Amino acid sequence: MELNTIQPAAGAKHAKRRVGRGIGSGLGKTAGRGHKGQKSRSGGYHKVGFEGGQMPLQRRLPKRGFKSAQLQFNAEVTLADLNTVDAAEIDLLVLKQAGLVAQLAKRVKVIKTGEINRAVKLKDIGATAGAKAAIEAAGGSLA
């Protein structure tokens, strides 16, 4: 192979359509742009969402909802997840090292999904009422 013989793959390149080259081409006169109007003129177009001066759809619809940026700092852990951690005292750092919560997490709450069958001591971790009852029933505690 020589530098002067390199070619693109077959079918990778195709000629750009030449418009406005006579009526025989089928794209003469108006060059496929139709008659008159903003879209037929050179440089004539509008921004996305522009509706000719009519109030655009995204401004006609009401604003609704909000997603707090603080949610990324909250995390949930299930009772079944707590079973997999092999530490007697569980805190935020232990859960991060076990990969159960994101590194960004600042607050963790235990929810009652699955079952726990060993005593664990939770330190600075919240729990729902059902999860708290299940942890205490298994001999654990919340600090």
Side-chain angles (χ1 to χ4, degrees):
M1 181 188 294
E2 301 293 329
L3 282 178
N4 63 340
T5 62
I6 295 174
Q7 287 184 323
K13 297 274 197 175
H14 51 88
K16 190 177 168 209
R17 186 176 294 257
R18 288 188 80 207
V19 296
R21 297 295 184 279
I23 59 173
S25 69
L27 290 165
K29 193 182 173 206
T30 54
R33 287 171 170 259
H35 292 278
K36 297 187 183 173
Q38 187 178 22
K39 291 197 276 186
S40 74
R41 316 211 183 269
S42 81
Y45 221 76
H46 54 78
K47 62 186 178 191
V48 174
F50 183 68
E51 297 180 22
Q54 171 176 295
M55 188 61 66
L57 183 68
Q58 76 271 18
R59 291 192 57 199
R60 274 180 275 163
L61 298 175
K63 289 194 278 188
R64 183 173 175 276
F66 170 76
K67 192 152 189 175
S68 174
Q70 300 305 312
L71 288 176
Q72 63 186 337
F73 302 116
N74 296 342
E76 285 181 354
V77 176
T78 64
L79 289 175
D81 289 338
L82 288 183
N83 257 341
T84 63
V85 179
D86 57 351
E89 190 171 296
I90 297 174
D91 63 354
L92 184 59
L93 189 64
V94 171
L95 292 174
K96 283 182 181 180
Q97 287 169 344
L100 293 174
V101 298
Q103 292 297 318
L104 280 175
K106 292 180 181 174
R107 286 181 298 279
V108 179
K109 197 168 201 178
V110 181
I111 57 172
K112 188 185 175 207
T113 300
E115 292 171 8
I116 189 160
N117 47 30
R118 63 187 193 89
V120 291
K121 185 179 180 192
L122 300 182
K123 189 169 178 245
D124 297 329
I125 293 176
T128 62
K132 185 176 180 184
I135 291 167
E136 289 170 349
S141 65
L142 280 88

